[in-house]
Amino acid sequence: MTMKTATLLAALFTDCALGRNGLLWASLLLGVAALCLAPVHPAALLLLVPALAVFALCLIDLIQTRHSLRRNFPASARFRWFFEWLRPFLRSYIVEGDLEGRPFSLDTRALVYARATGATDAHPFGTELDVYDGEYEWLAHSMVPNTHADAAMRVQVGSSQCTQPYSASRLNISAMSFGALSANAIEALNLGAKMGGFYHDTGEGGLSPYHLRHGGDIVWELGSGYFGCRTADGQFDPERFRDRASDERVKMTEIKLSQGAKPGHGGVLPGPKVSEEIAHIRGVPAGQDCLSPAAHSAFSTPRELLEFAARMRELSGGKPVGIKLCVGYPHELFAVTKAMLASGILLDFIVIDGAEGGTGAAPQELSDSLGTPLREGLILARNALVGAGLRGQVKLAASGKVASAAGIAMHAALGADWCNAARAFMFSLGCIQSMRCHTDTCPTGIATQSPARQRGLVVSEKAERVARFHKSTLNALHEIVVAAGLNSPDDFKPAHLRHRINVAQALQMDELYPFVAPGELIAGTDHPLLRRWWDEADPDSFRARLRH
């Protein structure tokens, strides 16, 4: 008897053999019973079909060598994968509480769905939040609400060096590329932006026809791959950029330095996925790996970054240009600020992407453990601009898990002029947080390139939901501004936002974080960390200056 035969017999007849091989013996007995009953009841032969199928599956599992669990528990081990597949749905619809879901709770998703569909967004019987919990925070309101507060609440974007300033909404669609999202999803988002009067960021995947088809305002984002305006070897092509950025639908351009979900990380779209359409949009060869490097090739220092931004502004005809980043080393952001002072070249806006942001796919370690959360990043950017005396010229936006008017108001209190949202607008399209963005099997047709799945997403109907969600959220923001007794979201200050420290203590944000006065960094701040980061910042290098 060979060793393989001996171990197979041991697997079949020893060590809880009946329990481990239950489906094998059951299928064998069912087959024998069917054959025995067939002379009396011919229909019993139908039982051979499931019996043989299960028996064959058991034999396959016993013989295969890849999965030890299947070798030891033939056929029955496959239930593990079935329940793993089913687990997210069971958790979301049966097990999970209203406030427990991640990354977005059921209550948050329900609020977006209600506003997108036009259903009531009122909540009965008081808040479900524990107002004495250490994570609770709230906005202060006034005894004298201001019913005359500005209802339009738009933001004028464009420094003194910009000849085509843009009037931005307080809430816009954050960067999501065609390829990560389906053509139908991109079209619905852009049509919704057109209907609602807000902008749609293209993401770094290029300016596709689906972004332009309905005429919604566009912010064209350029990542390190310069997709849509690149040379054959992947360098920035100014002529191609000028041709596309001059389109009247493109209102602003944005340099992506990093993003919250995967800061400091490039990407590869494998060659088989680079279709003729994607290749044409991105300006890359079809069927070949499409590389998005981790770093830009057009600049390598803060001053060069600003010179590149100034060139983009000139090529676009004077439209606003900004940068988007997830904050890493604080001195690097301060270095960009110093470079603006040293060179005289201004950015028109900065978008801070929080580490909690993200759509599509990203390495889990980077999503979980790299990058600064939005709140700290936003406060740092606010301090950099205010402390350098640039806040009036350079606008500041926040992006990362923004899904409600309260979130917009809270970020405004920390320095944001407006907010961008990605996943909230995906919810408005009908996203159910199935967590399949990276598999191309999105059940709602949003994060997939499958024509069969995209068919479920009807552009005209979903665009109305996108516009309705935006309008309802801004109406709620106006109500918050009125309740606070203010004229606009610009009037929110750190003192308006309170955060609970423990069950018996809550502090204002300016008691928890430093908020510098105008020009304080230049004059010399008393805050040791801010002073250290400012001293480390070098306008001609992203590396920290040595401290003596």
Side-chain angles (χ1 to χ4, degrees), residues 52-72:
L52 290 175
V54 173
F55 187 73
L57 198 62
C58 291
L59 291 181
I60 291 171
D61 284 354
L62 280 169
I63 296 170
Q64 60 83 36
T65 58
R66 290 186 61 192
H67 299 281
S68 58
L69 200 62
R70 284 166 53 195
R71 282 172 67 87
N72 288 336

Side-chain angles (χ1 to χ4, degrees), residues 525-544:
T525 179
D526 292 331
H527 192 276
L529 268 182
L530 294 177
R531 183 173 63 249
R532 169 187 163 186
W533 295 332
W534 183 256
D535 290 341
E536 289 178 342
D538 183 348
D540 293 303
S541 175
F542 282 112
R543 293 189 178 276

Side-chain angles (χ1 to χ4, degrees), residues 235-252:
Q235 303 299 303
F236 176 71
D237 186 332
E239 298 303 321
R240 294 189 70 183
F241 176 78
R242 177 191 287 115
D243 292 343
R244 309 214 72 189
S246 60
D247 191 305
E248 63 178 10
R249 292 164 290 189
V250 177
K251 303 301 182 182
M252 302 194 292

Side-chain angles (χ1 to χ4, degrees), residues 113 160 224 371 418-419 457:
Y113 297 148
S160 57
S224 56
W418 76 86
C419 289
L457 198 161

Side-chain angles (χ1 to χ4, degrees), residues 30-50:
L30 183 63
V32 171
L35 291 174
C36 293
L37 291 173
V40 181
H41 302 286
L45 287 174
L46 293 175
L47 295 175
L48 283 175
V49 176

